Amino acid sequence: MKPALARQDTFDLSPAVAADETGLPGGALIMTLDGELRVSDLRPGTRVITRDTGMAVLRSIRRRRITGRAVRIKASSLGHNRPERDATLPAGQPVLVRDWRAKALFGAEQALVPAARLVDGEFVTLHEAATMTVYDIEFDTPHVLYVDGLEVASHMAECAVPVTKR
């Protein structure tokens, strides 16, 4: 089943998310066929484990420094070992939600939503004006990746499309 993508204007659960508030932190661990690697250690040609196709070959990687809102997610706050350790993501980074939150908050069995939409003020918190080095990793098509025990989207040209209700 392909996850629905939540439109930013569909639900008013958090402040609007800027499109440039995405990327994977360099220190985050991503699952590859060679084991877990830091995102900053990835190179084109790396075989990355994906939720949707099993494996995909990394085509390009771009590093950039951003200053914007960041979301801190405490270890295991989104389920058992989700994330495996405290994780910090840019506020707009799409995260796959496929538990009761998806149904309760977004009306779907699973949904890709910006990290900022998961903020609860206690276990998932929003931090203003955070400066981070992030990486955009690109494949032939967008994929859902395993990063620090979270399921997150790879770089997507457009991450806001209508939610498909079932």
Side-chain angles (χ1 to χ4, degrees):
M1 172 191 307
K2 192 168 182 128
L5 296 169
R7 287 172 34 135
Q8 292 178 9
D9 62 349
T10 304
F11 304 95
D12 188 20
L13 299 176
S14 70
V17 175
D20 63 346
E21 290 184 330
T22 63
L24 301 177
L29 296 176
I30 187 168
M31 291 185 69
T32 73
L33 288 182
D34 296 319
E36 286 188 322
L37 296 176
R38 292 194 183 282
V39 170
S40 59
D41 293 335
L42 296 176
R43 300 290 175 260
T46 301
R47 297 169 303 163
V48 177
I49 296 173
T50 69
R51 175 169 172 70
D52 50 323
T53 61
M55 186 276 298
V57 176
L58 180 62
R59 296 296 177 210
S60 69
I61 185 165
R62 182 177 57 240
R63 182 180 129 188
R64 59 194 169 92
R65 192 120 172 110
I66 62 170
T67 299
R69 298 176 313 144
V71 174
R72 182 160 179 92
I73 305 171
K74 290 186 180 179
S76 296
S77 61
L78 297 179
H80 182 67
N81 290 335
R82 296 193 74 220
E84 293 171 351
R85 60 187 179 135
D86 289 357
T88 301
L89 297 171
Q93 177 59 44
V95 175
L96 179 63
V97 179
R98 56 186 183 97
D99 61 3
W100 62 268
R101 289 170 194 83
K103 192 72 167 169
L105 299 175
F106 308 108
E109 294 299 317
Q110 54 185 1
L112 273 172
V113 298
R117 302 283 296 277
L118 301 174
V119 170
D120 64 13
E122 184 176 352
F123 300 105
V124 182
T125 55
L126 185 66
H127 301 274
E128 301 291 335
T131 300
M132 308 173 69
T133 299
V134 297
Y135 292 77
D136 296 323
I137 62 176
E138 296 180 357
F139 302 89
D140 289 335
T141 60
H143 291 283
V144 175
L145 315 171
Y146 298 101
V147 178
D148 283 340
L150 292 171
E151 295 167 330
V152 301
S154 64
H155 180 72
M156 300 168 64
E158 168 117 8
C159 66
V161 296
V163 172
T164 305
K165 293 196 177 186
R166 296 189 177 251

